[in-house]
Amino acid sequence: MRAIDVRDLLENPGASRTVRVQEPVPGLRTELADVPEDAPIAADLTLESVVEGIYVRGSLEGRFVLRCARCLKAFERDFDVEMTELVAREPGPDDDYALAPDLTLDPEPIVRDAVVLEMPFSPLCRPECLGLCAICGGDRNLGECPGHERIDPRWEALGVLLEDLSGSPDHDD
Ligand SMILES: [Zn+2]
Ligand SMILES: [Zn+2]
């Protein structure tokens, strides 16, 4: 994202203005969520000059491409994230963001952090998604699983053991 020149604001504490940003932010990706690089994040950011620096306020709009944590189907969902952050002029240990030495403000780190917090950890295509069958891998939403009883793993192990015994070459009968 392009840096915003805020020198005019810094000279007038209490003053504010709104800037429109609409740019893609690369690298916003987790295992099951992605903000595609061709989908810009848009926001009207209100920049307010305070003694400590510039307050940035606004709501970020964009689109997630998600993969369902249960059935792995890809789907999309729009997001709208509210944020308010201070970009400090002389950052102390508690300040997350700072103005650049040339007194410009780079909105990208603030936007990135706010969107990352909003990315779903375990997205679902719909709340009642049935997911994939653990045995045959069929999509149970599509009725791809014929429906089978799961064999108790202890019996399964015993079955293998019995097969081994009967098939053993030392076994003379
Ligand atoms: Zn699903
Ligand atoms: Zn199945």
Side-chain angles (χ1 to χ4, degrees), residues 133 135-136 145-146 148:
C133 170
I135 299 172
C136 70
C145 171
H148 26 132

Side-chain angles (χ1 to χ4, degrees), residues 85-86 92-98 113:
E85 295 290 349
L86 174 70
D94 293 336
D95 293 312
D96 292 328
Y97 308 103
D113 291 351

Side-chain angles (χ1 to χ4, degrees), residues 79-123:
F79 64 81
D80 190 342
V81 190
E82 295 285 334
M83 55 143 212
T84 303
E85 295 290 349
L86 174 70
V87 182
R89 190 169 188 168
E90 287 162 17
D94 293 336
D95 293 312
D96 292 328
Y97 308 103
L99 293 174
D102 64 355
L103 301 182
T104 57
L105 186 157
D106 179 5
E108 188 164 314
I110 315 173
V111 168
R112 182 184 295 278
D113 291 351
V115 173
V116 164
L117 278 179
E118 191 69 12
M119 291 175 102
F121 182 69
S122 184

Side-chain angles (χ1 to χ4, degrees), residues 5-62:
D5 189 338
V6 292
R7 283 173 297 185
D8 58 324
L9 285 173
L10 292 169
E11 285 164 10
N12 296 293
S16 68
R17 71 183 154 97
T18 300
V19 291
R20 174 83 179 161
V21 294
Q22 185 163 21
E23 283 171 76
V25 175
L28 280 171
R29 182 172 295 121
T30 63
E31 204 176 336
L32 296 174
D34 182 21
V35 179
E37 293 190 13
D38 59 354
I41 294 175
D44 288 315
L45 298 178
T46 301
L47 309 179
E48 187 191 348
S49 177
V50 294
V51 176
E52 303 92 322
I54 302 285
Y55 260 109
V56 181
R57 243 195 318 271
S59 78
L60 308 167
E61 290 172 23

